[in-house]
Amino acid sequence: MHSLPSSTDNLTLHLAILICEVLPPPVSCLRGPFDQIFQNFFDRGAKRLSEDNHDEQWPGIKKQIQVRTTPYNATAGQLPDAEALEGLDALVVTGSSAGAYEDIEWVKKLGRFLQDTYQQHPKVKIFGTCFGHQIINQSLFAHTGGLHVIKNPRGWELGVYEITINPKFASCFPRQLKSAARASSPQIQLQLSHQDTVVVTQSAQLPPECVEVGSTALCGMQGMYVPNRVLTLQAHPEFDREVNGACIRLIVGLDWPAEEIKEYLRMTDKDDDAALMEEVVMEFLLQGSKS
């Protein structure tokens, strides 16, 4: 016979952070390395959901959501082995200055690993931002002929951009995006820092469970969602304005026109909807979880 749970019930998620870029000191000195930035991102989302989350089976029981992360330096070929995967709830693939299409050994190894995990470990979710979004989509869905990754001929997205959310995606997360789901043209603002892009060429070729997240004027594919399995975002919701500003300063260097640099930095120094996306990501990671 099962005893009633206590009034506070703990739920812990274990995530592997696959680090695809060792952040340089001008960036890491602000908020730490990539794994710490993501740990903070998940902690904020978990705290927000814990404050507004009650178990449906036991009304009045409040869940305390905790997130434990283990970093793996993917650029050095470090990835979870089969035993480690058995203890994971999700993989998290970070951003990178590398291209998902480049002939780089660690990139190719990561792509094969993501394919194998998706096919052989259905209980392990996969989440990624920026480069993570690109390599996840390329690894899992490019073979269908429905999409590919290229350098965006429209140029860079640097700073906070307005993302038009696909109402179908919004309807999958009604608690966070209910107003967006009702709107004819729902929009949110997020930090971006990329030139490569995922291009959907034949949406009918993609698995029917795939749901595109949204689009911007410069980038037609801002993320992909597969319920209980995959969530990718072209944006960097884990970056605040200081971190993204530091990244942009490194990208532009001294070669770009001063007025152009000034404008990108101005766009970075804007309010965004990262807090909302923290909750969306945490909701995704909790899908199917049991205390």
Side-chain angles (χ1 to χ4, degrees):
M1 180 177 179
H2 297 291
S3 60
L4 289 174
S6 61
S7 59
T8 300
D9 197 14
N10 291 327
L11 189 155
T12 300
L13 296 174
H14 185 195
L15 315 179
I17 311 295
L18 310 186
I19 299 171
C20 302
E21 183 84 13
V22 178
L23 296 176
V27 180
S28 62
C29 72
L30 297 172
R31 302 288 184 268
F34 245 136
D35 53 299
Q36 185 60 57
I37 289 173
F38 269 106
Q39 178 74 62
N40 294 339
F41 173 77
F42 295 129
D43 284 345
R44 290 191 297 269
K47 183 176 185 295
R48 196 167 288 111
L49 284 191
S50 293
E51 293 171 348
D52 188 33
N53 184 36
H54 292 81
D55 193 287
E56 295 179 359
Q57 183 179 2
W58 305 105
I61 304 303
K62 197 169 186 178
K63 285 187 182 297
Q64 292 298 321
I65 304 163
Q66 299 177 337
V67 179
R68 180 164 64 93
T69 60
T70 300
Y72 293 83
N73 185 352
T75 68
Q78 299 172 5
L79 298 167
D81 59 22
E83 182 179 358
L85 281 169
E86 291 300 317
L88 290 173
D89 293 291
L91 304 175
V92 179
V93 189
T94 75
S96 178
S97 58
Y101 46 76
E102 289 190 90
D103 187 17
I104 301 173
E105 187 53 40
W106 73 262
V107 173
K108 295 187 292 183
K109 181 179 179 180
L110 175 60
R112 293 191 297 267
F113 172 75
L114 293 171
Q115 286 178 331
D116 181 72
T117 301
Y118 186 68
Q119 294 167 2
Q120 304 298 327
H121 300 271
K123 293 183 179 180
V124 179
K125 299 180 179 71
I126 303 176
F127 168 66
T129 64
C130 201
F131 168 82
H133 152 75
Q134 296 156 12
I135 195 167
I136 291 168
N137 278 281
Q138 175 176 280
S139 302
L140 304 188
F141 306 124
H143 72 278
T144 67
L147 58 76
H148 60 278
V149 180
I150 62 169
K151 199 171 292 295
N152 193 344
R154 296 180 178 180
W156 291 83
E157 285 188 309
L158 301 172
V160 174
Y161 283 74
E162 192 170 75
I163 300 171
T164 300
I165 297 296
N166 177 2
K168 185 175 180 181
F169 175 72
S171 70
C172 297
F173 297 91
R175 290 210 306 172
Q176 292 78 25
L177 301 172
K178 59 184 177 182
S179 59
R182 291 195 300 265
S184 59
S185 183
Q187 295 172 331
I188 64 171
Q189 314 265 344
L190 291 174
Q191 295 278 357
L192 287 121
S193 180
H194 74 108
Q195 185 180 25
D196 289 351
T197 183
V198 178
V199 177
V200 175
T201 52
Q202 296 286 336
S203 58
Q205 298 292 106
L206 295 171
E209 60 271 21
C210 286
V211 178
E212 291 185 46
V213 170
S215 63
T216 61
L218 294 179
C219 176
M221 210 280 230
Q222 283 286 332
M224 186 72 82
Y225 173 61
V226 178
N228 290 297
R229 295 304 315 277
V230 174
L231 177 61
T232 73
L233 300 170
Q234 180 58 75
H236 277 290
E238 77 279 10
F239 282 2
D240 59 25
R241 66 187 71 196
E242 287 81 13
V243 170
N244 205 28
C247 289
I248 290 171
R249 287 184 178 90
L250 290 173
I251 290 170
V252 301
L254 299 175
D255 299 328
W256 290 28
E259 285 303 311
E260 192 172 342
I261 296 172
K262 183 179 179 181
E263 175 61 15
Y264 280 132
L265 293 176
R266 184 194 67 80
M267 292 176 64
T268 305
D269 192 26
K270 294 168 61 178
D271 293 338
D272 61 44
D273 296 304
L276 182 150
M277 198 52 63
E278 289 165 4
E279 287 197 35
V280 169
V281 173
M282 190 54 54
E283 285 274 11
F284 162 69
L285 294 172
L286 288 168
Q287 288 174 352
S289 296
K290 297 180 180 180
S291 58

